[in-house]
Amino acid sequence: MDIKALLSRMTLEEKVGQLVQSNAGQFIRNDLEITGPDGETVPAEELNRVVGSVLTFEDAAQAKALQDQHMAADRNRIPLLLMLDVIHGLRTTYPIPLAMGCSFDDALTAECAEIARREASACGVHVTFNPMVDTARDARWGRILETYSEEPLLNCRMGAAIVRTTQGQNLADPENVACCVKHYAAYGAPEGGRDYNTVELSERLLREAYLPAYKACLDAGARLIMPSFNALNGIPSVANPWLMNRVLRGEWGFDGVVISDYNAVMELVPHGVAESLRDAVRKAMEAGCDIDMVSNAYYRHLADLVREGTVPEAVLDAAVLRVLQLKNDLGLFENPYHGASEEREREVYLCPAHREVARRAAEESAVLLKNEGILPLSRELKRIALIGPFAEETRLNGFWSRPGAERYTVTLPEGIRALLPEAELILERGCGAELGDLDRSGLDRAAAAAARADAVILTLGEPENDSGEGRSRAELTLPGVQQELAERVIAANPRTAVVLFNGRPLVLTALEKIAPALLEMWYPGTEAGNALARLLWGEANPCGKLSAGLPRAVGQLPMPYNRMNTGRPKPGPDDQAVPFTSCYLDTPNLPLYSFGYGLSYTRFVYESLTLDRDRMSKEDTLRVTVTLRNDGDRAGKEVVQLYLRDLAASVVRPVQQLIDYQKVMLEPGERKEVHFEVTEKQLRFWNFDCEYVSEPGTFELSCGWADHLLETKRFTLD
Ligand code: BGC
């Protein structure tokens, strides 16, 4: 399609329409949840003639109906773009992103993106609002579940893997889907951990910890980007010329589509940076926001602003051309349905191959936090008590799973029965998991059930709806009376393994004191029960490592593992306060479980870390070898993590910084050498003048995990 010729035939209103996005629910009946108030209401027939894109629909039949209806009304026959949040699977749900981060496995993340792509394209999705790569260091923020890690490196690598897999080589291939990376920028650092709240960050920290992941996704080819809701250093992102014009379009040369977040153009008014809706439109257009998601502010005011010359027509045309270009690249002018196909939906949704990937992902993202000889359970134990609010729960899919996802969840009893048909299961809920649910009436029965059993699996956590958008918490302990339930059950039967389902790092300080074993499952998705049963009975060996540390107390937050040193670091043991040093009087400084931590059923011994040189020039490559041995009697996977410390620089540098990782499999007794290469590029940082440079000096390299660096070697950069 000659999109420039097409543009020249369009009226002003038609051009504006390309920049308007509506909820599909305006044009078809659906019961899908929307994530905010819609903007101004516009009659559907009026909008349908010109609207450029819609979001949130259910299936291929709806996708086709939406397209047919629109094409019949649009005199230019410009197909709609259909967008949907496919965040961790469509029908086959795999673990939440924070859990995928714990897999430290880019290839597995790509496999998951592959099943999501196949299902999403069959459903008729052209654009997915994925990946979300907001660095998050504060578990109060309910959206921490949507990110891969507190560490930008994981967000960069996993985000890029998702983009490459989802978009494929050629967007016109009906099985490929375009990616919209989000939420640009620093949405994960709201004050007080409260969603949508304002963000204040120095430019240096912003560039170092927050911007790299968006950039990595754009470098991998992401075709769209979504500015975040929050104000960043005083200006909401959708109207932030520094973020959008200077960095995104200028420094990074991004020429794809920018789409606002839900109603965010209109929200410039309550933010207090626009006097009116009309003013909001001007500001968003000036900052280069192409598509207005659902606020209808562009629909109402953009044409007038162009007519009066406030917004130059050339600016409008450039935005429209970007949208048309995307439609053209997706091949929509030739095939407006793209991949939508009821037949392919039947073929791919929840197919055995997709479930197998989801199960493996759930296994590899589980983190074994503690194990005093309880796990794996022996098949000799016949009577198993399955206690707690999640014992039979189906809502183990997380905030962004599609509506109805719980219908397909394999529950824990189903998973156990599939693995151990002869096991006798005693099921007891014990208590609820809702915030404020203080009903203790089930505790006695739960304790009695525990006492009768050979072993107990105690399921605790947060209900699925307590994390996600708009779900911030100020307390991060287990909701309700779950801690009491744990105390009663463990006292009744010390052979208890606690299994956790939650969307954020919780404060488990009290639980950790009494639980003999703790397995963090996050929200594992469709294959929850099968994966968990296999992990509990040792068919699968846990290998996940925390992608975000677990605090001891809310007061530690935000709590980055890659913290800066102070001039008065606390000396000696972490559990003792030292006057006039940087510490708390009542709580250690370090997390309960640090970033990168996770146990296995086998034992890995790190034998050595060697460098092939102790000096390097800027052109050299330093070769690092880590030797480790599997000292146990089971095969297992270990994530070998490489940390850097710059001992002295012109600005303060982190005490530890993950610069690379590799996941390796070792048979019992096997020894392996793992090789890393370090170049000058990995030693760079943003200096005082915000230049990205390395500085000569001494550095340390270590392996292990955060706060537990096992081997350290020094080298000098000349
Ligand atoms: C969320 C986005 C999402 C959008 C569309 C917003 O409320 O912040 O992450 O992509 O809704 O559903």
Side-chain angles (χ1 to χ4, degrees):
M1 166 67 67
D2 180 346
I3 54 172
K4 287 208 171 123
L6 172 61
L7 183 77
S8 68
R9 295 194 297 272
M10 292 166 73
T11 65
L12 187 54
E13 280 71 19
E14 286 167 349
K15 290 183 194 175
V16 169
Q18 288 304 306
L19 310 186
V20 173
Q21 174 161 93
S22 300
N23 252 308
Q26 285 209 254
F27 309 115
I28 42 160
R29 239 196 76 75
N30 74 24
D31 302 319
L32 300 176
E33 192 186 19
I34 52 173
T35 52
D38 273 7
E40 299 212 334
T41 316
V42 174
E45 308 85 83
E46 202 185 299
L47 205 54
N48 184 39
R49 258 185 333 104
V50 291
V51 68
S53 60
V54 297
L55 85 161
T56 310
F57 58 98
E58 271 168 298
D59 51 26
Q62 282 193 0
K64 289 181 177 176
L66 283 160
Q67 198 65 283
D68 288 345
Q69 249 170 251
H70 168 74
M71 295 289 270
D74 179 359
R75 76 171 183 105
N76 296 310
R77 298 191 57 75
I78 304 174
L80 278 177
L81 269 175
L82 302 183
M83 308 198 189
L84 190 67
D85 291 280
V86 184
I87 311 291
H88 49 113
L90 189 98
R91 278 291 194 286
T92 313
T93 310
Y94 55 87
I96 55 169
L98 191 66
M100 290 308 301
C102 296
S103 75
F104 278 70
D105 194 329
D106 311 345
L108 179 63
T109 306
E111 273 189 83
C112 287
E114 170 71 18
I115 66 174
R117 176 185 68 77
R118 285 163 53 92
E119 296 191 9
S121 63
C123 171
V125 178
H126 305 152
V127 173
T128 168
F129 300 116
N130 192 45
M132 187 280 217
V133 289
D134 300 327
T135 300
R137 302 159 150 195
D138 191 333
R140 290 173 296 182
W141 188 53
R143 298 194 80 167
I144 193 170
L145 95 159
E146 285 176 55
T147 191
Y148 292 84
S149 180
E150 64 164 285
E151 164 51 55
L153 182 66
L154 277 153
N155 281 324
C156 287
R157 284 180 32 178
M158 294 195 166
I162 291 166
V163 171
R164 280 193 290 268
T165 309
T166 311
Q167 296 194 158
Q169 295 293 330
N170 172 15
L171 269 190
D173 180 331
E175 294 198 21
N176 288 339
V177 172
C179 285
C180 175
V181 57
K182 65 190 187 186
H183 307 86
Y184 179 71
Y187 181 41
E191 271 182 15
R194 208 174 69 232
D195 204 6
Y196 315 122
N197 206 4
T198 209
V199 176
E200 287 287 329
L201 283 174
S202 71
E203 184 178 342
R204 189 164 61 247
L205 186 57
L206 179 70
R207 287 187 182 273
E208 180 156 322
Y210 293 86
L211 297 191
Y214 312 111
K215 171 78 162 47
C217 292
L218 297 180
D219 289 346
R223 296 295 304 264
L224 301 92
I225 190 165
M226 183 188 291
S228 51
F229 284 126
N230 57 283
L232 174 65
N233 298 335
I235 306 179
S237 303
V238 72
N240 190 323
W242 183 85
L243 262 185
M244 307 267 276
N245 297 331
R246 165 107 176 257
V247 179
L248 179 68
R249 300 273 192 214
E251 284 177 34
W252 298 352
F254 178 67
D255 62 358
V257 173
V258 174
I259 177 167
S260 83
D261 204 345
Y262 204 99
N263 212 23
V265 175
M266 193 277 259
E267 289 171 17
L268 292 173
V269 179
H271 260 300
V273 295
E275 286 182 355
S276 60
L277 200 56
R278 192 185 175 89
D279 197 26
V281 173
R282 175 182 65 80
K283 289 204 153 185
M285 282 302 287
E286 275 172 8
C289 171
D290 299 325
I291 299 181
D292 167 15
M293 186 191 287
V294 309
S295 88
N296 285 333
Y298 281 15
Y299 187 79
R300 286 280 186 229
H301 300 289
L302 185 50
D304 279 350
L305 286 168
V306 173
R307 262 184 227 110
E308 72 184 29
T310 307
V311 174
E313 185 147 11
V315 171
L316 171 70
D317 285 357
V320 176
L321 275 177
R322 285 192 284 268
V323 173
L324 293 177
Q325 185 67 52
L326 178 60
K327 293 184 176 186
N328 207 19
D329 292 348
L330 279 158
L332 297 183
F333 289 100
E334 294 75 38
N335 173 15
Y337 292 163
H338 200 54
S341 150
E342 290 88 337
E343 198 187 325
R344 272 210 322 120
E345 286 185 297
R346 282 190 293 275
E347 215 175 278
V348 296
Y349 284 177
L350 295 156
C351 65
H354 288 193
R355 280 179 171 274
E356 193 272 334
V357 175
R359 196 206 74 230
R360 254 189 304 124
E363 290 169 7
E364 304 235 349
S365 54
V367 185
L368 183 62
L369 298 172
K370 183 174 178 185
N371 188 17
E372 290 177 343
I374 301 288
L375 294 174
L377 297 171
S378 150
R379 286 178 181 250
E380 305 297 305
L381 305 166
K382 290 292 173 235
R383 187 185 287 178
I384 308 293
L386 216 56
I387 301 178
F390 298 87
E392 291 182 275
E393 182 59 78
T394 53
R395 285 161 301 171
L396 301 176
N397 297 292
F399 180 85
W400 278 116
S401 53
R402 302 304 306 152
E406 66 278 4
R407 289 203 296 272
Y408 312 108
T409 313
V410 179
T411 63
L412 184 50
E414 287 165 352
I416 298 176
R417 286 193 186 107
L419 189 69
L420 302 165
E422 68 291 353
E424 183 193 334
L425 298 184
I426 313 171
L427 286 155
E428 206 57 67
R429 191 158 184 271
C431 68
E434 305 292 331
L435 285 166
D437 182 347
L438 301 179
D439 182 2
R440 293 177 167 80
S441 60
L443 299 186
D444 288 346
R445 281 175 61 98
R452 287 205 315 277
D454 296 333
V456 181
I457 300 164
L458 178 60
T459 61
L460 303 175
E462 275 184 316
E464 203 183 45
N465 262 340
D466 281 0
S467 52
E469 186 173 346
R471 268 91 171 158
S472 297
R473 288 184 63 195
E475 300 285 353
L476 297 180
T477 43
L478 289 167
V481 295
Q482 294 185 80
Q483 176 67 24
E484 270 182 54
L485 174 68
E487 283 159 15
R488 295 288 308 276
V489 166
I490 294 165
N493 190 338
R495 199 194 288 268
T496 295
V498 179
V499 175
L500 292 153
F501 297 98
N502 45 273
R504 54 154 63 80
L506 289 173
V507 171
L508 301 175
T509 313
L511 183 65
E512 186 268 343
K513 286 202 175 82
I514 56 165
L518 278 173
L519 180 64
E520 175 60 79
M521 289 299 290
W522 309 107
Y523 293 120
T526 310
E527 284 287 306
N530 287 333
L532 181 52
R534 283 170 46 84
L535 285 161
L536 290 171
W537 273 272
E539 293 294 312
N541 189 352
C543 59
K545 306 285 181 186
L546 290 175
S547 57
L550 268 52
R552 283 177 190 275
V554 170
Q556 292 177 309
L557 299 173
M559 187 194 61
Y561 84 91
N562 47 357
R563 59 192 174 274
M564 305 296 165
N565 219 352
T566 70
R568 293 187 178 190
K570 178 166 70 164
D574 190 35
D575 56 359
Q576 282 161 32
V578 179
F580 302 109
T581 67
S582 181
C583 65
Y584 301 103
L585 293 180
D586 53 359
T587 305
N589 281 7
L590 296 180
L592 182 64
Y593 293 112
S594 295
F595 171 82
Y597 168 84
L599 302 172
S600 161
Y601 294 154
T602 191
R603 209 171 70 87
F604 295 102
V605 177
Y606 282 78
E607 294 186 340
S608 63
L609 176 144
T610 54
L611 314 186
D612 73 339
R613 63 187 71 213
D614 56 13
R615 295 194 87 83
M616 71 183 276
S617 72
K618 290 195 170 176
E619 290 70 42
D620 286 336
T621 298
L622 178 73
R623 294 193 165 75
V624 183
T625 305
V626 177
T627 308
L628 74 163
R629 193 177 77 239
N630 179 350
D631 211 24
D633 54 7
R634 275 170 193 270
K637 290 184 183 169
E638 172 70 340
V639 178
V640 182
Q641 305 166 40
L642 188 65
Y643 289 89
L644 177 82
R645 179 167 185 180
D646 186 345
L647 290 181
S650 56
V651 296
V652 179
R653 303 297 303 135
V655 297
Q656 52 197 350
Q657 178 76 50
L658 184 75
I659 57 163
D660 207 348
Y661 55 86
Q662 278 181 48
K663 194 170 179 181
V664 288
M665 166 78 158
L666 276 83
E667 296 299 330
E670 189 181 350
R671 169 179 284 114
K672 222 172 221 171
E673 286 189 348
V674 177
H675 302 283
F676 295 100
E677 292 189 343
V678 177
T679 63
E680 179 266 338
K681 218 173 155 204
Q682 285 154 293
L683 310 180
R684 292 185 198 168
F685 59 92
W686 296 91
N687 70 8
F688 185 77
D689 297 317
C690 267
E691 296 154 346
Y692 193 53
V693 294
S694 62
E695 291 175 357
T698 307
F699 297 80
E700 282 180 354
L701 283 170
S702 320
C703 56
W705 63 93
D707 310 319
H708 298 267
L709 301 176
L710 299 173
E711 277 257 4
T712 296
K713 288 278 159 64
R714 286 192 173 182
F715 70 94
T716 310
L717 176 71
D718 292 330

